[in-house]
Structure formats: structure tokens, C-alpha cells
Amino acid sequence: MLQLNQLTGFDAGQAAPPSRSGSQTFNTAGTDTLDVSGLSEIQVTMWAAAGGGWTNGSLRGGGGGFVECKVNVTGISTLAIAIGGGGGIQGTSGNDDNAGAGGGGYSGIFNGSIAFANALAVAGAGGGAGGGNGGGQTDAGGQGGSTTGGDGTTSPADGSNGLGGTPSAGGAGGTNGGEDAGDAGSQLAGGTGGDSTGTLSILGGPGGTNGGGAGGQSSTTQNSGGGGGGGYYGGGGGAGANGPGGGGSSFAHATLASSVTHAGGADGTETAANSGHSDYPGGSVAVGGDNGSGGDGWVKIRWGTDMTI
């Protein structure tokens, strides 16, 4: 656990000076903790991870959502921090692109431990692209965030896309005739993509760390659905026959959070939400996969005079 006295230079036995300030960045997918005992307020700026995707036929992963807010942490001793991992693909050779890509994982901060009931702020992740081999079809994962995640984008529309998570429910899984339906999203988790028809020999892309739904399994001749993105409520998985996953929803606590900004990118693109923000680190952070895994999330916490909102 990172303790604030390690950052500010005062002795552990001393009372924390009221003017203490600092910041910490978390940029490795997984979980961490931060000791905030003695603080009254912190600022969090974060991006969720993105879904995996393919180049063929515009089968891109959805970009990760963005949340920034202040949070009252009076009486809270430890923040649990989740940094989303990008959704994956299974491989790039042969018929690997028949299998749907995994959805990205949410980023968030929680009171004490990571649990839905402990959420203080959560950024929703992008959904994974549906499997496919081109043919002019678009099956891009839905964008993560805002308070409602983006639906997976299909063109032509065929009902196979997973829907985005909402403020109060997971996104519905995609359906497409006799094909295997995608699973609905749930609290903090995206749904798994539906399997293809035929003999299942290709695994779906893995879901990203912190709630990303896995892509469905496929045969060597048929396509499977992409996984939903993790979020406060996760996006639904896409149906078999290349349905893309929906994006996860974002959240800020109704009474403890203030000065809240939510952002989600435009559906059907792999762009990270609010990438023009001064803190955006660039590179692949929260960028949807293009023949590869989606970019990981990123979290920065500030306190004292380092706060900017």
C-alpha cells in the first residue's frame, strides 16, 4: 500500500499537516491501494481500458470511457484502485479473426475493497469487436462510458450487437436468429460473446483485467461475438455471427462525488474518450484494438494543492 507520508516527507508519528499535497499515477493493469487516512477530499482522473479488435471489415474495439471528479474521503482510510486491462484477441494468423475479441476492463476507485457496493467512481470500458473476415461489414465494439455505455455498432444492422450498460442494469446480449446469443452484462462485468455455429476450435479473445467479457469461441468457417466492456454495469456480449460487445457504463457516487465529468467516445470508433484532456498520457491508453489488444486504462489521484478542479 502506498502511504501518503512516504510522498510528503513528514514522519509517520506526526499528525499530517493540513496543507499536505501530492499525486500518484497508476498505469499498470490490475489493482492497487492508496492510504488516504487524514484527508478530506481527493481528485481522480481516469480512463478505462478499450476492447480488442481486428483490422478486417472495420472490426475495431471500442475506446475506454473517462471520468474525473472530486471525492469526499472523510473517514475513509484506504482506497482500492482498479486499473483496467485491454481486451485481447486470440491470434493474428489463419482463421483466428473468426473469434470475437475481448472487452476492456473498467478503471475505478472503491472504499476499502473492490466491490460494487463500495464504488466511489468507475469509468466504463469499451466492448470487443465481433469476429469476421471483412466483406465490408462493420462490427465495432461500443465505446465505454458515459453514464450509459455505447452499443456495439453493426452495419448492416442485424440485432447481433451487445448493448451498453446503463446506470442501473447491464447491457443486453446480442441476438441473431439461430446463432448463440451473447450474455448480458452485470455489476462491474461485461457479458461473454456468443459462440459461432460449427465445431468450436478457436478460443475467443480474453476479457481485460477488471471485468472485461471474453469473446465467444468460433469454428474455422464461422464467426463469434465480442465481449462486453466492464463498467459500473457492464456491456452485453455480441451474438455469434460476429456481433460486437457493448461498452460499460460509468459512475460517480451521488453524495460523495462532486465536480463530475463523464465522457464516452463516438460509437463505431476506437478513440479514447476525452483524449484532448491535459492529463491524457497518449500512446495506446484507452484506444480500441486494431488487429490487436485494446489499450489499458490509467488512473491519477491528487490531493491538497495538487488538485486541479
Side-chain angles (χ1 to χ4, degrees), residues 183-307:
D183 291 340
S186 58
Q187 295 176 352
L188 301 181
T192 300
D195 296 335
S196 76
T197 56
T199 301
L200 302 178
S201 58
I202 303 173
L203 295 174
T209 302
N210 294 319
Q217 300 180 73
S218 74
S219 70
T220 57
T221 59
Q222 302 295 322
N223 305 317
S224 63
Y232 185 63
Y233 281 97
N242 51 19
S249 64
S250 294
F251 166 82
H253 197 282
T255 59
L256 297 179
S258 61
S259 302
V260 180
T261 299
H262 291 288
D267 289 339
T269 77
E270 70 272 25
T271 307
N274 205 14
S275 58
H277 191 283
S278 59
D279 275 341
Y280 181 66
S284 63
V285 169
V287 174
D290 184 356
N291 209 37
S293 297
D296 291 342
W298 187 93
V299 179
K300 185 168 187 174
I301 296 175
R302 295 178 169 93
W303 55 93
T305 57
D306 276 28
M307 293 171 62

Side-chain angles (χ1 to χ4, degrees), residues 12-252:
Q14 295 177 325
S19 60
R20 65 177 176 168
S21 61
S23 66
Q24 179 68 23
T25 298
F26 302 86
N27 55 14
T28 300
T31 59
D32 211 324
T33 58
L34 180 67
D35 181 353
V36 294
S37 54
L39 290 180
S40 61
E41 190 174 54
I42 58 96
Q43 173 187 333
V44 60
T45 304
M46 60 185 169
W47 282 265
W54 303 105
T55 298
N56 291 341
S58 299
L59 308 174
R60 300 167 300 196
F66 169 87
V67 174
E68 182 173 67
C69 61
K70 295 187 287 188
V71 179
N72 183 339
V73 294
T74 302
I76 295 174
S77 59
T78 302
L79 291 179
I81 300 157
I83 308 95
I89 61 174
Q90 200 51 240
T92 56
S93 62
N95 300 113
D96 287 340
D97 63 358
N98 286 4
Y106 66 84
S107 294
I109 59 171
F110 299 80
N111 180 1
S113 61
I114 294 175
F116 182 78
N118 297 343
L120 299 171
V122 176
N133 54 9
Q137 187 160 328
T138 297
D139 293 298
Q143 284 281 331
S146 181
T147 54
T148 296
D151 299 340
T153 301
T154 57
S155 178
D158 58 9
S160 66
N161 56 311
L163 303 185
T166 76
S168 59
T175 59
N176 187 17
E179 302 287 347
D180 187 34
D183 291 340
S186 58
Q187 295 176 352
L188 301 181
T192 300
D195 296 335
S196 76
T197 56
T199 301
L200 302 178
S201 58
I202 303 173
L203 295 174
T209 302
N210 294 319
Q217 300 180 73
S218 74
S219 70
T220 57
T221 59
Q222 302 295 322
N223 305 317
S224 63
Y232 185 63
Y233 281 97
N242 51 19
S249 64
S250 294
F251 166 82

